[in-house]
Amino acid sequence: VEIFENYRRRYLDPYAYSHVLGFIGKPSPEELIADSALLPEELIGRSGLEAYYDDKLRGKPGKKIAEINSYGQESRIKLTEDPKEGENLNLAIDGALQGVAYQMLENYTEGKKAGSVVVLDVNTGALRALVSFPGFDSNKFGYSLTQEELSLLTLSSLSPFFNRSISGEFPAGSTIKPL
């Protein structure tokens, strides 16, 4: 048995942030061939900000080359390289507002319809909330999502993977009148 350190992403409000943050997963065989720096056990960004900023967020794994004696014990370490943390990413999104917007949309639709909410700061233009409903549990991707759970998401008539806030095409409403 060997014990080693590892990391695990944990999203605090996974449904509300599922489309903004996205999720992570293991690299495909094609991605491993295309990028020799990737390791099969690594987790990489698959959607959302996780995918867009993957190279900055992921960091670098550490390395150690050791000689092993006949008893299976490390006898001499030849080279070590400490792991490097990924960079931090700061967003203008208001966490409380994002959660409230998701909850209000879920209540308004009674969980039976899809929708989106986009909130911008009128003074700065900063994005304060970006919600697409329904969301999905980002924490399960890359770790514990079963085939049955994935099938339920992909076959859902509400298309939880579709980001309505960014990719949806909706007719202009009353907000267009001032223009």
Side-chain angles (χ1 to χ4, degrees):
V1 174
E2 183 180 349
I3 299 172
F4 59 92
E5 286 186 37
N6 204 348
Y7 70 91
R8 182 175 181 134
R9 291 262 207 285
R10 185 170 158 260
Y11 304 103
L12 297 179
D13 196 351
Y15 289 90
Y17 284 97
S18 57
H19 294 95
V20 174
L21 299 179
F23 57 89
I24 54 177
K26 300 257 185 204
S28 68
E30 295 80 19
E31 289 168 322
L32 291 170
I33 291 168
D35 185 352
S36 61
L38 275 178
L39 301 173
E41 64 273 7
E42 280 190 272
L43 295 171
I44 61 173
R46 288 279 169 223
S47 74
L49 293 174
E50 287 283 8
Y52 191 80
Y53 290 106
D54 180 64
D55 58 329
K56 294 180 191 269
L57 294 172
R58 191 166 9 115
K60 302 282 183 231
K63 295 179 183 177
K64 177 169 75 170
I65 298 174
E67 287 184 11
I68 308 293
N69 64 22
S70 60
Y71 298 106
Q73 300 167 333
E74 289 182 4
S75 61
R76 186 170 42 163
I77 296 173
K78 288 188 171 190
L79 171 73
T80 60
E81 186 178 317
D82 291 330
K84 294 183 179 150
E85 284 186 11
E87 295 177 32
N88 292 326
L89 184 63
N90 295 313
L91 305 176
I93 290 179
D94 180 324
L97 182 60
Q98 182 82 5
V100 167
Y102 187 87
Q103 193 63 47
M104 289 181 70
L105 194 52
E106 183 176 31
N107 293 342
Y108 179 76
T109 64
E110 298 176 347
K112 298 175 186 170
K113 295 179 183 176
S116 71
V117 173
V118 178
V119 179
L120 299 174
D121 184 323
V122 295
N123 296 316
T124 65
L127 184 64
R128 295 298 181 203
L130 185 71
V131 175
S132 182
F133 182 83
F136 51 87
D137 188 349
S138 301
N139 288 318
K140 293 205 171 218
F141 286 85
Y143 303 109
S144 62
L145 189 68
T146 66
Q147 185 62 43
E148 183 180 332
E149 290 171 318
L150 181 60
S151 293
L152 284 172
L153 288 170
T154 55
L155 298 175
S156 170
S157 62
L158 296 178
S159 303
F161 290 123
F162 182 63
N163 187 342
R164 288 162 180 80
S165 299
I166 294 174
S167 302
E169 294 181 10
F170 304 103
S174 296
T175 56
I176 199 76
K177 289 177 185 171
L179 299 177

